Amino acid sequence: MLVTHQFHPLFGRQLPCVGKRGNLQGDRLLLQTEDGAIWPLPPQWTDLVSIDPEVVASNGRALLLVSNLMELASMVEHLCGRLAAECKDNYAASVNQIMPQEAPQ
């Protein structure tokens, strides 16, 4: 298998696949280096899976895929909603804690 993920330390190396396993994050290929170390890699990081069309079209310019950005937007929306609910009841108290109070003269 050729490691195709550009930020992986084994990028560009052709390594034998000695097994496959699954975990909560999905399938992993077990690639073995010359020193005998086993590296579990997602199949998407190897030449086993064809390159995503978005990556090809971006020609290296895009840091994230559209699907990654959509997932990030959903997470931010969820977090903002949760924080707003937590702060709504105590907004005035929170502002009073943050704003400096001047003593009347």
Side-chain angles (χ1 to χ4, degrees):
M1 300 271 143
L2 178 66
V3 179
T4 58
H5 190 286
Q6 61 185 353
F7 299 120
H8 195 278
L10 299 175
F11 173 70
R13 293 183 56 187
Q14 187 79 32
L15 300 170
C17 182
V18 296
K20 182 179 177 181
R21 72 170 188 207
N23 62 24
L24 293 175
Q25 288 79 34
D27 290 334
R28 295 290 184 260
L29 300 174
L30 303 175
L31 305 183
Q32 187 172 24
T33 56
E34 295 81 15
D35 63 358
I38 304 293
W39 290 71
L41 273 79
Q44 300 87 338
W45 293 6
T46 70
D47 60 349
L48 181 66
V49 176
S50 60
I51 299 175
D52 189 303
E54 288 182 66
V55 173
V56 174
S58 72
N59 196 23
R61 295 180 302 250
L63 297 176
L64 297 171
L65 302 176
V66 172
S67 58
N68 297 135
L69 291 173
M70 298 293 287
E71 185 178 350
L72 177 62
S74 175
M75 291 171 65
V76 168
E77 183 179 12
H78 173 74
L79 289 173
C80 287
R82 195 173 88 203
L83 289 174
E86 290 174 6
C87 295
K88 188 175 184 180
D89 297 330
N90 262 342
Y91 183 72
S94 298
V95 170
N96 286 336
Q97 288 177 347
I98 296 170
M99 299 297 292
Q101 302 288 323
E102 289 186 25
Q105 295 177 350

